[in-house]
Amino acid sequence: MPFSLPPWISFPTPARARRHAYHYEHVLGTSFELNVVATGVSAARRAESVALAEVDRLEAILSGWSSTSELAYWTATQDVDVAISPELADVLHASDV
């Protein structure tokens, strides 16, 4: 005989993950669309914050628009050996500079 729970006992339905889309302009000189799959708005906003912090970190290294970026510093030091971050080294290597 199959077992079933009484109707007054219920278990919460797990939250379903859904896509949260965010759109930004002027990020590294272009538009940026971020899609986050999360079970709620607060989790999506936390993920958005983490992603935007990483974009800001990379912009400080790779921006071709900012005169204070690591890329700008490297470009200004032609024919001089300077230490660069692994991220900038990866980009320069990939571009065959």
Side-chain angles (χ1 to χ4, degrees):
M1 176 169 204
F3 174 78
S4 62
L5 294 172
W8 49 268
I9 295 179
S10 65
F11 294 99
T13 304
R16 295 185 68 185
R18 68 176 193 86
R19 185 175 70 90
H20 302 262
Y22 305 98
H23 186 82
Y24 302 91
E25 292 296 328
H26 310 293
V27 176
L28 289 171
T30 190
S31 55
F32 176 61
E33 186 171 322
L34 175 64
N35 290 290
V36 175
V37 177
T39 57
V41 173
S42 63
R45 288 292 184 182
R46 284 192 307 272
E48 175 195 26
S49 293
V50 169
L52 292 176
E54 179 63 3
V55 169
D56 288 344
R57 186 185 76 80
L58 291 173
E59 184 173 34
I61 297 169
L62 304 173
S63 176
W65 299 93
S66 171
S67 62
T68 60
S69 72
E70 184 181 358
L71 176 63
Y73 172 75
W74 177 81
T75 303
T77 58
Q78 293 180 3
D79 299 325
V80 177
D81 289 337
V82 294
I84 60 174
S85 67
E87 292 86 354
L88 181 56
D90 288 346
V91 170
L92 294 174
H93 179 73
S95 69
D96 293 327
V97 171

